[in-house]
Amino acid sequence: MTATLEYVRASRWYGPVIALNDVSTTVGPGVTGLLGPNGAGKSTFLKLAAGLLAPSQGEVRLLGRPAWGTPALYHHVGLCPETDAFWEGMTGLQLVTALLRLTGFDEAECGRRAEQALDSVALLEAKDRKVGGYSKGMRQRIKMAQALAHDPQVLLLDEPLSGMDPVNRRRVVDLVKRLGREGRTVLVSSHILYEVEAMTRRVLLIHNGRILAEGDVREIRDLMDEHPHTVSVRARDPRALARAVVGAPHLLSLTFGADGEWLTLQTAKPDEFYGHLHEAALEAGVLEMYSPDEDLASVFRYLVPR
Amino acid sequence: MNAAAAGPADAASDPGPGRDTTRPLPTVRAARAVFDLSLDAMVWSRRSLMMALLLALPVVLAIVYRAVLGRLPPRVAAFDFYGNIVTYYYLRFALPVTALFYATALVADEVDGKTLTYLITRPVRRSAILIGKFAAYVATTFALALPAIVVSFFLLATAGGWSGIGARVGDLFRDLGVMALALVAYGALFTLVGVLLRRPVIPGLLFVFVWELLANLPGYMPRLTLTAWLQSLIRHRPPQEGVTAIFGQVLPAALSLQVLTAATLLFLAASLWIFSRREYVIEE
Amino acid sequence: MPIYEQTYRRYEARAPLRKVRFWPITREALRLILARRWFLGLLALGWLPFLVRVIHIYVVTRFPEANRVLPVDGRLFGQFLSQQLVPVLFVTIFAGAGLVANDLRTGAVLVYLSRPLTRRDYVAGKLLVVLLLNLFLTLVPALLLYLIALALAPDQFLKWELAWIGPAIALYALVLSAVLGLLMLAVSSLSRSARVAGLGFFGLLMGLQTVHTILREAFDRPEAAVLSIATNIQSIGRALFGTAERTATVPWPWAALALVALGAGCLAVLRSRVRAVEIVT
């Protein structure tokens, strides 16, 4: 994977407070979720990537050049900031057009691109209304529009779904996934896990200014030996299933559900266990099976101490 | 792992016709775009209405002067009254306050409004942003202040009739030039103050209403003020200035122009340098 | 069932327990302002004239001959309060410029008015912030000065004919503090930026003062003084304490009328600007 964004032992502090602590990582094309609790360092990580801050130590490189102090990079970068702030007296179209002019497009091209960007976030009908009169969801979408309008190669989105209704959330999630498939580098910062999960399986987990884990959610989960995997199975004859699997290696525990249909198993090696379970499944009449702790929320919960 | 070089954009992102994506926008073009963005917000705002009233107040004074002229004998002639307005009202009060009002806000407004992020994440040099905003400040303040001075002049210079007006028009152009220079010089100074300090208003007020009083002192002290250099460029000498009549200095006009120009350029250069290097952490 | 009919529902909340509903507004605003060290420094600087006056009274009581050069009588308190105009001005700007402006910018007015508070409560709470701080620089030191004068020179001040000094101090301090406080609040409500409000307030005061100076020089008419808010306030002080002015000034009934009109105007502005919802067209 070619790295678009590169952190090399990057640290950033504000006075005595270390916001980002000796971080080394790369982010390449596709969608990557940047996760962490409040105060973890996500905003600082994103601001360093966006060139809004200089690292106190180390390097942050975007498209091979230092992110800080290289204005030419912004031809290729679109930032959707978290703050809800605009020039309220401007219309949606005026705002996006004005910012496009600052990106070097001529007047005709500015108008065309602005309308295209507004259309992609379903704001075309409201383009001539003042931003001051927009709802929260519309304000969030206009932020997305100004980030996308100049067709950047890199998109940095800070809480992009905040304040959006379910319909527009879906729209933006689909848009982000499409941008990732096109080969753009999209870094999405959020603390709403199911939203990030809807967009990507590739995550970067931050806590206390350090990277806790990075990569595919499932791969991270598989590496977490100290947290056994839970598998819930519904079968016609759960006791027969239990008899068949109780001798399986790496089975740690087994619990019957109160309703008499469900069986909850815990194992240290899920892949091996699934193979063993497969053999017993037909005999016991397995109807349904899922793993409640292989999602992002579980990974997050296990990794981030309370 | 190889870092991707910032070369031509891939097929997913189209740079657009005639657009060089390897360099920032040319400064003039970028400044022009920022100028257009800022001018609208500056002109069509409630604060500009307030400033317009402040700057147009002498027009009301001039009307009042002419209205009561027949009933109350004034202590000063109409043209001298105009001179008082130019010296006391505009030069010592209204123009510095106008400059303080607008110039300290050039960056501070964007920071307080949290919109600075949009500007500094565009492919433009930061100096271009400040140049564009300063140009918008100059355009706005000129549009608000200079017409009011012209109207005041004609109301008062013609209070005794239109004869002799031709001889006075030269003074009008001189005054307009000095007022414009005052707006630019104070504007550059307060732009620097606004870029340097988080809370520039009180230091700015202290400068205008305390430091600039040094212009009334004897010796070398007045040369440390902008007021003394500006006052030396206008011809009006209000008749009753109290202690200023004893200590007031008139500095050479050519030297005043040079000093004011140099000071303006120095303040602007310092502002550009600081703004280009400063990190702005927008609180969320 | 969890689906409710969307009809009009009467507000049936209980009446608030406190009679003075706006006190929490004042308390929290004061807490925020007084947490700034430089503001405390500014308040401390505002008490310097008080120290100077204490020394003045002590010197005169110790060396009675000095009374000929630096007289100590009832007028001293009026002069002291008039001189406090400058520190009160700065404190008013610092403390008051953002009181309403910041709330308008952040939408906090909506939060306040969604409690059982009226707009009057909101304005009263905010006004009390500036009033208390200004009274701390006017009423408190002036009364303290009076007590010190009573203690150091009882022969001079402990007289029935000078009993008016106390009420005069209270009234003059209240007029000075309330007029500037109300004006600052009104200007603050006209903007969403504390900086613009502070500058606007200062510009208004200084602008009117400058206009007054120009008109006075041109026409030599004392009536021009009615334009100057500071001169009107000082006229009230002159009437209360009989202090002489170096320059001609407006008679106190006109000054009082001008200040009342100003106060009414400020209240009208606050009434129109302090709203829970702003319609953007």
Side-chain angles (χ1 to χ4, degrees):
Chain A
M1 181 183 73
T2 318
T4 309
L5 178 59
E6 211 177 339
Y7 287 69
V8 180
R9 304 206 65 182
S11 298
R12 169 72 199 197
W13 45 83
Y14 304 102
V17 176
I18 299 181
L20 212 63
N21 195 349
D22 198 23
V23 163
S24 292
T25 187
T26 57
V27 178
V31 183
T32 304
L34 179 64
L35 298 167
N38 290 331
K42 300 192 302 297
S43 279
T44 303
F45 188 95
L46 214 60
K47 282 175 183 156
L48 285 168
L52 292 171
L53 298 175
S56 305
Q57 255 182 22
E59 281 182 30
V60 177
R61 302 180 75 78
L62 185 61
L63 298 172
R65 297 168 75 176
W68 164 258
T70 314
L73 279 175
Y74 294 118
H75 284 294
H76 311 287
V77 177
L79 172 70
C80 176
E82 188 188 359
T83 45
D84 180 44
F86 306 94
W87 297 285
E88 306 278 341
M90 297 176 101
T91 65
L93 184 64
Q94 284 171 343
L95 185 108
V96 179
T97 307
L99 292 174
L100 276 169
R101 282 187 70 201
L102 281 169
T103 322
F105 294 99
D106 59 46
E107 290 296 328
E109 187 70 11
C110 284
R112 186 187 72 76
R113 282 178 177 263
E115 293 205 351
Q116 201 174 352
L118 289 168
D119 190 33
S120 69
V121 294
L123 271 181
L124 199 58
E125 279 185 18
K127 65 177 180 170
D128 294 320
R129 275 173 55 189
K130 285 194 181 156
V131 175
Y134 278 7
S135 67
K136 179 107 169 66
M138 292 165 82
R139 293 165 76 87
Q140 194 63 24
R141 281 183 277 149
I142 197 77
K143 269 195 273 175
M144 282 291 291
Q146 63 81 33
L148 296 169
H150 56 293
D151 246 344
Q153 192 180 339
V154 179
L155 276 154
L156 306 169
L157 311 178
D158 200 344
E159 309 280 355
L161 303 178
S162 161
M164 285 197 192
D165 59 59
V167 172
N168 283 305
R169 259 180 223 264
R170 186 78 251 156
R171 182 177 280 126
V172 170
V173 165
D174 290 342
L175 175 63
V176 168
K177 282 159 75 171
R178 178 174 65 76
L179 293 167
R181 282 194 299 271
E182 286 174 2
R184 297 175 208 257
T185 301
V186 185
L187 184 61
V188 181
S189 168
S190 180
H191 60 274
I192 302 184
L193 303 177
Y194 68 85
E195 287 179 353
V196 173
E197 222 170 358
M199 286 187 249
T200 181
R201 300 278 313 165
R202 196 173 353 147
V203 296
L204 198 61
L205 276 164
I206 287 189
H207 184 56
N208 282 344
R210 288 183 179 273
I211 294 187
L212 277 182
E214 60 180 304
D216 187 273
V217 176
R218 179 159 294 172
E219 286 169 13
I220 297 170
R221 184 69 185 90
D222 285 345
L223 291 171
M224 292 162 58
D225 292 338
E226 68 276 20
H227 293 286
H229 292 248
T230 306
V231 181
S232 293
V233 186
R234 188 166 71 93
R236 272 191 290 271
D237 189 353
R239 289 192 183 269
L241 181 64
R243 278 194 296 275
V245 301
V246 73
H250 312 298
L251 176 69
L252 299 175
S253 75
L254 195 154
T255 310
F256 291 99
D259 55 6
E261 283 192 332
W262 285 93
L263 186 64
T264 304
L265 309 122
Q266 284 204 324
T267 171
K269 295 264 168 83
D271 289 338
E272 288 183 29
F273 179 74
Y274 285 134
H276 198 92
L277 187 63
H278 180 70
E279 294 160 17
L282 279 170
E283 245 184 70
V286 169
L287 301 169
E288 198 179 327
M289 183 168 73
Y290 74 97
S291 179
D293 64 356
E294 287 212 346
D295 61 357
L296 192 50
S298 308
V299 169
F300 193 84
R301 203 167 47 243
Y302 293 148
L303 281 175
V304 176
R306 288 187 191 279
Chain B
M1 212 171 281
N2 298 320
D10 59 18
S13 57
D14 169 19
R19 191 169 150 247
D20 180 4
T21 59
T22 61
R23 293 173 196 278
L25 238 61
T27 300
V28 171
R29 191 172 169 193
R32 176 66 202 267
V34 173
F35 171 84
D36 289 339
L37 179 65
S38 305
L39 189 70
D40 242 12
M42 239 184 241
V43 170
W44 301 113
S45 63
R46 194 177 285 125
R47 69 176 73 174
S48 284
L49 181 65
M50 255 168 42
M51 293 318 297
L53 289 172
L54 182 79
L55 291 165
L57 193 54
V59 174
V60 175
L61 289 181
I63 293 171
V64 165
Y65 182 93
R66 285 190 66 152
V68 302
L69 192 58
R71 282 172 277 282
L72 288 173
R75 283 205 303 182
V76 296
F79 194 71
D80 290 336
F81 187 63
Y82 163 76
N84 283 2
I85 286 175
V86 165
T87 312
Y88 284 133
Y89 190 82
Y90 281 112
L91 205 55
R92 291 221 176 184
F93 165 66
L95 298 187
V97 167
T98 303
L100 184 61
F101 203 70
Y102 282 110
T104 51
L106 291 185
V107 174
D109 263 3
E110 302 287 356
V111 172
D112 290 345
K114 300 181 187 178
T115 47
L116 187 66
T117 309
Y118 297 119
L119 294 177
I120 58 179
T121 54
R122 301 292 132 179
V124 300
R125 292 184 184 86
R126 287 210 187 175
S127 52
I129 296 173
L130 200 55
I131 290 170
K133 287 196 150 283
F134 189 78
Y137 152 78
V138 169
T140 304
T141 53
F142 278 22
L144 290 175
L146 302 185
I149 296 170
V150 170
V151 173
S152 305
F153 169 82
F154 278 106
L155 279 172
L156 290 167
T158 60
W162 284 82
S163 62
I165 186 80
R168 305 261 199 219
V169 169
D171 278 318
L172 172 65
F173 284 116
R174 192 181 180 114
D175 292 341
L176 288 174
V178 175
M179 298 302 114
L181 187 55
L183 283 169
V184 172
Y186 279 118
L189 171 64
F190 292 133
T191 299
L192 177 60
V193 172
V195 164
L196 268 175
L197 303 174
R198 187 87 203 262
R199 295 174 208 278
V201 171
I202 297 297
L205 284 173
L206 287 172
F207 176 83
V208 172
F209 294 106
V210 177
W211 180 265
E212 291 286 273
L213 292 178
L214 293 177
N216 297 335
L217 294 181
Y220 208 78
M221 295 301 281
R223 289 167 190 244
L224 298 174
T225 68
L226 289 175
T227 301
W229 298 106
L230 287 163
Q231 264 180 194
S232 300
L233 289 172
I234 55 174
R235 287 214 193 105
H236 304 287
R237 299 282 173 259
Q240 296 183 9
E241 291 190 49
V243 69
T244 317
I246 307 169
F247 293 130
Q249 295 184 32
V250 179
L251 302 162
L255 182 63
S256 299
L257 263 178
Q258 287 166 9
V259 167
L260 287 167
T261 306
T264 301
L265 292 172
L266 182 70
F267 295 145
L268 276 176
S271 308
L272 293 174
W273 192 87
I274 294 169
F275 182 63
S276 297
R277 279 152 186 79
R278 177 167 272 199
E279 289 174 343
Y280 287 92
V281 182
I282 309 286
E283 302 294 332
E284 274 152 32
Chain C
M1 291 298 287
I3 299 175
Y4 296 92
E5 276 193 22
Q6 300 304 306
T7 57
Y8 170 74
R9 270 175 275 174
R10 215 182 138 112
Y11 178 69
E12 292 187 18
R14 289 175 302 157
L17 298 172
R18 288 198 176 86
K19 282 198 176 139
V20 181
R21 293 190 294 264
F22 54 79
W23 175 244
I25 298 177
T26 307
R27 186 186 60 214
E28 291 313 307
L30 281 173
R31 191 177 291 178
L32 279 172
I33 291 166
L34 294 174
R36 296 184 201 166
R37 258 183 254 165
W38 51 263
F39 184 74
L40 293 176
L42 182 69
L43 283 180
L45 272 175
W47 274 67
L48 278 180
F50 164 79
L51 288 174
V52 170
R53 291 290 181 173
V54 167
I55 295 168
H56 172 193
I57 293 172
Y58 176 75
V59 165
V60 167
T61 51
R62 186 87 170 79
F63 304 102
E65 312 83 47
N67 200 37
R68 267 180 282 156
V69 180
L70 298 166
V72 170
D73 54 24
R75 291 171 295 174
L76 175 138
F77 307 99
Q79 286 164 352
F80 168 72
L81 283 170
S82 293
Q83 283 164 359
Q84 288 297 88
L85 188 65
V86 173
V88 163
L89 191 69
F90 278 97
V91 163
T92 303
I93 293 177
F94 271 118
L99 277 180
V100 182
N102 289 340
D103 286 351
L104 287 173
R105 192 183 77 244
T106 57
V109 178
L110 178 63
V111 175
Y112 282 115
L113 297 181
S114 67
R115 304 290 190 266
L117 291 171
T118 61
R119 288 191 290 162
R120 265 185 226 173
D121 294 326
Y122 175 81
V123 171
K126 294 290 182 177
L127 182 61
L128 196 59
V129 175
V130 193
L131 201 60
L132 287 175
L133 290 169
N134 287 347
L135 288 174
F136 180 72
L137 286 180
T138 52
L139 183 66
V140 172
L143 282 178
L144 213 54
L145 202 61
Y146 184 45
L147 289 172
I148 290 171
L150 284 173
L152 289 178
D155 301 334
Q156 196 166 348
F157 286 100
L158 208 54
K159 293 175 186 172
W160 180 245
E161 354 9 310
L162 290 180
W164 56 267
I165 292 179
I169 287 173
L171 191 58
Y172 190 19
L174 198 61
V175 167
L176 175 61
S177 306
V179 168
L180 289 180
L182 198 54
L183 182 63
M184 181 72 260
L185 220 59
V187 173
S188 180
S189 73
L190 288 172
S191 174
R192 287 168 182 248
S193 162
R195 186 170 32 80
V196 169
L199 272 173
F201 174 78
F202 199 89
L204 185 66
L205 282 175
M206 294 303 296
L208 290 173
Q209 184 70 27
T210 308
V211 165
H212 156 229
T213 307
I214 291 172
L215 286 177
R216 191 190 65 214
E217 290 300 317
F219 294 105
D220 195 20
R221 301 291 300 186
E223 291 86 1
V226 80
L227 286 170
S228 166
I229 297 169
T231 308
N232 286 327
I233 293 173
Q234 286 166 340
S235 291
I236 303 292
R238 189 175 64 88
L240 285 169
F241 289 94
T243 48
E245 293 290 334
R246 276 175 293 160
T247 55
T249 184
V250 68
W252 76 264
W254 285 100
L257 200 62
L259 292 177
V260 166
L262 178 70
C266 292
L267 288 172
V269 166
L270 284 165
R271 190 161 185 262
S272 79
R273 290 291 298 165
V274 175
R275 290 181 185 281
V277 178
E278 186 183 4
I279 311 295
V280 179
T281 49

